Amino acid sequence: LIDRFRMQANEKENECCNLKKKYEKLSKSNSHQINNLEATIITANKRYQLSEQRRRMDFEGFSNDVADIRKTVQRLEDLLLTQVAPSFKFLRENRREHFKASKAVKGKNKRAALQNHLEDLRKRLVSLESEMNNGLRYEST
């Protein structure tokens, strides 16, 4: 009976030693995986910060480009309106007003308002064409 208890105790002790070894191996393996994952997270965060910084810089560059293009267009419009067609001067003065008015209209009325605005612009264009034609006739005589 005593020998059986000793054998069982030895078996249980061997099982405990084996379980401790497995625990240590798993613990080392898991800590290694955790370290790898932490390194991956740190790398991903650095990449994200760099891409976010790049995005901000790109956006700033695009904003600057748009501002430069607007200035260039404004200068070209001014040049066109002062040298080529001085009679179109009212277009420059009123274009922002027309743009804001057309942008302010929302919903179902937007289409009708835009059509009315387009019709007004067509009428103005026709009157300008006739004014230019009259001006050209007077200059040619």
Side-chain angles (χ1 to χ4, degrees):
L1 185 65
I2 294 176
D3 288 334
R4 272 193 343 201
F5 284 133
R6 284 185 186 160
M7 279 178 69
Q8 283 180 353
N10 284 337
E11 287 175 6
K12 296 297 178 186
E13 193 173 313
N14 286 337
E15 271 185 56
C16 282
C17 285
N18 288 337
L19 288 175
K20 282 182 183 180
K21 288 178 184 177
K22 284 182 182 178
Y23 173 76
E24 288 174 4
K25 284 181 183 177
L26 288 175
S27 178
K28 286 180 183 178
S29 174
N30 288 340
S31 67
H32 181 68
Q33 287 178 346
I34 288 171
N35 290 337
N36 287 342
L37 290 174
E38 286 174 345
T40 304
I41 288 173
I42 289 170
T43 304
N45 281 337
K46 286 180 183 177
R47 286 182 185 164
Y48 173 76
Q49 289 173 352
L50 288 174
S51 65
E52 183 66 24
Q53 182 181 7
R54 189 178 315 120
R55 184 192 67 82
R56 275 186 268 137
M57 292 174 79
D58 285 345
F59 185 74
E60 182 180 335
F62 293 143
S63 298
N64 290 338
D65 290 345
V66 168
D68 290 343
I69 289 171
R70 283 184 179 156
K71 288 177 185 176
T72 304
V73 168
Q74 180 67 41
R75 282 192 302 253
L76 290 173
E77 285 178 348
D78 290 343
L79 179 68
L80 174 72
L81 293 174
T82 55
Q83 292 183 359
V84 178
S87 62
F88 289 124
K89 188 174 182 179
F90 78 94
L91 286 175
R92 182 181 64 194
E93 294 166 355
N94 294 329
R95 78 171 179 271
R96 284 198 175 97
E97 178 184 321
H98 292 298
F99 179 73
K100 288 178 185 176
S102 65
K103 200 173 181 181
V105 178
K106 294 183 181 179
K108 295 179 181 179
N109 298 331
K110 185 175 185 176
R111 185 176 183 161
L114 289 175
Q115 286 175 343
N116 290 338
H117 184 66
L118 183 61
E119 197 60 39
D120 290 340
L121 290 175
R122 284 183 186 148
K123 289 176 186 176
R124 285 186 181 182
L125 182 61
V126 169
S127 69
L128 284 173
E129 286 176 351
S130 64
E131 185 180 319
M132 285 180 63
N133 288 335
N134 290 337
L136 290 175
R137 285 186 199 146
Y138 291 129
E139 288 176 7
S140 63
T141 57

